[in-house]
Amino acid sequence: MITENTSPAAGTVSAEEALKYLLLLVDVSELYNHSLGTYDFDLVIMVAEKSKKDPKEYLPFLNSLKKMEENYQHYSIDKHLKRYQKALHHLSKCGPEHFTEFLNLVKDQKLYNEALKLYPSDTQEYKAVGDAYGEYLNQKHLPEQAGLIFARCGAFEKALDAFVNSGSWQQALCMAAQLRHTEDKLASLARGMAGKLVEQRKHMDAAVLLEQYAKDYEEAILLLLEGAAWDEALRLIYKYGRLDILETNFKPSLLEAHRNHLLFLETQKAMFCRHKKRLLVVRELKEQARDGLLDDEAPNCPESDLFSETSSVVTTSDMGSKYTHSNSRISARSSKNRRKAERKKHSLKEGSPLEDVALLEALRDAIRSTDSLKGEVRSLLKGLVLFDYDAQAQELQQALEETLHSMECSLPVIWSADLQHGPANQVLGPNSTANSIMAAYQQRRSVAPAVQDAELLIAPKLNKNIQWKLNLLQ
């Protein structure tokens, strides 16, 4: 027990003795700051005196604090101690005359969320803080979040601009309604947002704006045709009785989309076959190179650099094993950058060191892009059949079916079982080391291609769950 009694009873310690002991254990400046944070000036002066601080250092500051109103006094102390959240809380109680100082502290220390909790949402102070917060979010390139804050504090003009910039067109229209925009102003706003949505290939959203707010259903239909939204385009055509658009725009757009899809499928199929044949050739060449290298018959083959580099890594690892632990963090930090650099080396140029990796990437992308066409093709087939383009519809359906079938049949050849699940994947996987790789090469003479990205060893799967065929074409 600590007491200020000069004649302490047995088992008690005076405050002076306790303070002297503390000063031996704790930095005097730290102890002074802690005492100041209690807002107890008697304690602060006692600590300052026992620490042998010069009174000129602390008395003027303490005297100025004593003259302040209590909340502002506590704010000043907390700000001095850099306890900004506490300082903000005390300053909010000091009245409107100190709100400018309050807002400056909020901006300086980015305490927007904390500040909003200190005022009711219907006060001017809350709106001022919200406005400042929205401006801050705009500067951080977060326009949608800025729009939400602006809207919450009633700054609808700023909220409208923020939502327009973020592409949140529904929220932007809500703000326009709050601002009671005229029909002409609303139409202009809708056209501007529709243009941005078209750039983002959001034709359906753009068409809604043009039809419902700009009252330009014809332009909306043209946008839907551009975005291959055939069903929605038909709905608007019949809704407004513009059957002439069927002949002038709809049917020509159907046939153009049919031609483009056929050309794309033909190109994809040809490229896929070309890359597949080249991959088999590259694998055979690398297999021969590895056989020659392990038999010491082809020391100057293109693969020799890979084996030489791996061997040197093993030797260096053995000689410098005592440094392995200290260097592990550096290696971990640089591994991601190293993998990025390796991926940049993937080139389809014949004879490049990682040509097989680049070919696998190209084949995978071809399969995914072709498989993703199913939904779009089905929508187009429905339009073709509806307007008696049966021959074109059957041609397109057959072309896609043949292309997908050809790719599916090639999967076991391109991504063999050994490549996906065999020892090669374990040897050259993401957790392999130089030692494990060299040990594996000592045991076996043929391995899978040296792929840096483990995902390339996984064959893409065709999505069989999408019902895209029209059975009436069979």
Side-chain angles (χ1 to χ4, degrees):
M1 179 179 177
I2 301 177
T3 177
E4 295 186 20
N5 194 331
T6 56
S7 301
T12 62
V13 180
S14 68
E16 293 185 2
E17 291 176 342
L19 184 57
K20 288 180 180 179
Y21 180 70
L22 279 176
L23 290 173
L24 296 175
L25 302 175
V26 182
D27 178 74
V28 62
S29 298
E30 184 177 351
L31 190 60
Y32 175 81
N33 288 335
H34 276 290
S35 62
L36 184 62
T38 65
Y39 316 119
D40 186 339
F41 292 102
D42 292 336
L43 180 61
V44 174
I45 292 174
M46 183 173 67
V47 170
E49 289 176 346
K50 296 302 179 183
S51 66
K52 298 182 180 179
K53 293 173 68 73
D54 187 350
K56 295 180 181 180
E57 296 180 14
Y58 61 87
L59 283 180
F61 175 60
L62 295 180
N63 289 332
S64 65
L65 290 174
K66 289 180 180 180
K67 298 177 183 178
M68 297 177 182
E69 186 269 332
E70 182 179 0
N71 282 309
Y72 195 80
Q73 178 192 92
H74 291 177
Y75 152 72
S76 301
I77 292 173
D78 287 326
K79 185 180 180 182
H80 174 76
L81 298 175
K82 299 183 179 180
R83 302 190 306 192
Y84 296 113
Q85 289 193 28
K86 284 189 174 183
L88 198 69
H89 178 76
H90 289 300
L91 188 56
S92 68
K93 299 178 181 180
C94 293
E97 63 273 16
H98 291 286
F99 181 73
T100 301
E101 191 174 1
F102 175 90
L103 193 57
N104 289 334
L105 180 61
V106 170
K107 294 178 180 179
D108 291 341
Q109 301 302 323
K110 312 295 187 297
L111 297 174
Y112 299 101
N113 280 320
E114 292 78 2
L116 287 173
K117 299 174 185 177
L118 298 175
Y119 292 100
S121 59
D122 59 347
T123 61
Q124 289 299 319
E125 289 83 359
Y126 182 93
K127 294 178 180 179
V129 173
D131 188 80
Y133 192 13
E135 296 292 353
Y136 168 75
L137 291 171
N138 267 333
Q139 293 174 6
K140 300 293 287 185
H141 306 291
L142 298 170
E144 185 174 28
Q145 296 182 34
L148 294 172
I149 295 297
F150 282 136
R152 202 167 76 172
C153 67
F156 299 126
E157 283 284 0
K158 292 183 177 181
L160 173 60
D161 292 339
F163 285 133
V164 169
N165 291 334
S166 68
S168 304
W169 60 271
Q170 295 96 332
Q171 292 288 352
L173 291 170
C174 293
M175 295 303 102
Q178 293 271 21
L179 294 166
R180 294 181 171 80
H181 276 14
T182 63
E183 287 191 7
D184 290 342
K185 197 170 183 180
L186 198 59
S188 176
L189 174 65
R191 287 187 179 280
M193 290 191 294
K196 293 183 178 181
L197 290 170
V198 171
E199 293 175 0
Q200 301 169 16
R201 303 193 60 80
K202 296 180 179 179
H203 295 83
M204 291 277 286
D205 291 342
V208 170
L209 286 169
L210 291 180
E211 184 216 354
Q212 297 185 12
Y213 292 91
K215 308 301 181 184
D216 190 348
Y217 64 84
E218 186 172 346
E219 184 64 25
I221 292 172
L222 296 180
L223 281 184
L224 291 170
L225 295 178
E226 181 183 335
W230 312 110
D231 290 341
E232 183 64 12
L234 274 176
R235 186 185 71 81
L236 293 188
I237 288 173
Y238 283 102
K239 176 183 177 181
Y240 293 101
R242 290 296 305 272
L243 301 184
D244 57 301
I245 296 179
L246 292 175
E247 300 297 331
T248 59
N249 297 95
F250 189 90
K251 292 180 180 180
S253 296
L254 278 179
L255 296 176
E256 182 182 3
H258 165 262
R259 289 191 297 269
N260 291 338
H261 277 84
L262 283 180
L263 179 61
F264 176 80
L265 290 172
E266 181 182 351
T267 303
Q268 287 291 93
K269 188 174 181 180
M271 180 183 66
F272 186 87
C273 292
R274 185 173 65 253
H275 288 337
K276 173 187 170 183
K277 291 179 181 178
R278 178 59 187 170
L279 178 62
L280 297 179
V281 171
V282 171
R283 284 179 175 172
E284 180 63 26
L285 291 175
K286 286 203 168 188
E287 187 68 26
Q288 294 174 4
R290 277 189 291 271
D291 288 343
L293 181 66
L294 293 176
D295 290 338
D296 294 327
E297 294 175 0
N300 295 321
C301 70
E303 302 303 309
S304 61
D305 291 340
L306 174 62
F307 284 85
S308 175
E309 181 180 351
T310 307
S311 178
S312 65
V313 170
V314 175
T315 304
T316 304
S317 177
D318 291 340
M319 294 176 62
S321 60
K322 62 181 179 179
Y323 300 109
T324 301
H325 180 70
S326 62
N327 292 335
S328 61
R329 293 183 179 178
I330 299 175
S331 176
R333 285 196 301 268
S334 62
S335 61
K336 184 176 180 180
N337 293 332
R338 188 163 56 248
R339 286 195 297 271
K340 287 183 179 179
E342 288 296 334
R343 282 195 291 271
K344 290 181 181 179
K345 296 178 183 178
H346 301 174
S347 171
L348 288 171
K349 182 179 179 180
E350 291 191 7
S352 62
L354 295 177
E355 183 185 358
D356 54 342
V357 177
L359 288 167
L360 280 174
E361 289 177 333
L363 290 166
R364 177 198 60 192
D365 293 342
I367 292 174
R368 289 177 176 174
S369 60
T370 304
D371 191 55
S372 66
L373 280 179
K374 290 178 179 178
E376 189 173 338
V377 167
R378 178 176 174 80
S379 177
L380 178 57
L381 290 176
K382 287 161 57 180
L384 290 169
V385 170
L386 183 64
F387 292 96
D388 297 327
Y389 295 117
D390 292 359
Q392 289 86 342
Q394 190 165 11
E395 181 184 20
L396 177 58
Q397 179 166 299
Q398 185 176 355
L400 179 55
E401 186 173 4
E402 289 177 355
T403 303
L404 291 173
H405 180 72
S406 174
M407 291 178 173
E408 187 171 10
C409 292
S410 300
L411 292 182
V413 179
I414 300 170
W415 285 272
S416 62
D418 290 341
L419 190 60
Q420 295 183 54
H421 307 294
N425 194 11
Q426 299 171 7
V427 171
L428 296 172
N431 297 320
S432 61
T433 63
N435 290 330
S436 66
I437 293 174
M438 288 305 296
Y441 277 119
Q442 298 293 335
Q443 298 174 6
R444 47 200 301 274
R445 303 175 66 85
S446 62
V447 295
V451 181
Q452 297 296 323
D453 189 351
E455 290 183 1
L456 294 176
L457 296 174
I458 302 174
K461 296 180 179 179
L462 298 176
N463 190 344
K464 299 181 183 296
N465 296 325
I466 298 178
Q467 179 60 38
W468 64 275
K469 294 183 181 180
L470 292 182
N471 296 327
L472 54 87
L473 297 178
Q474 301 301 321

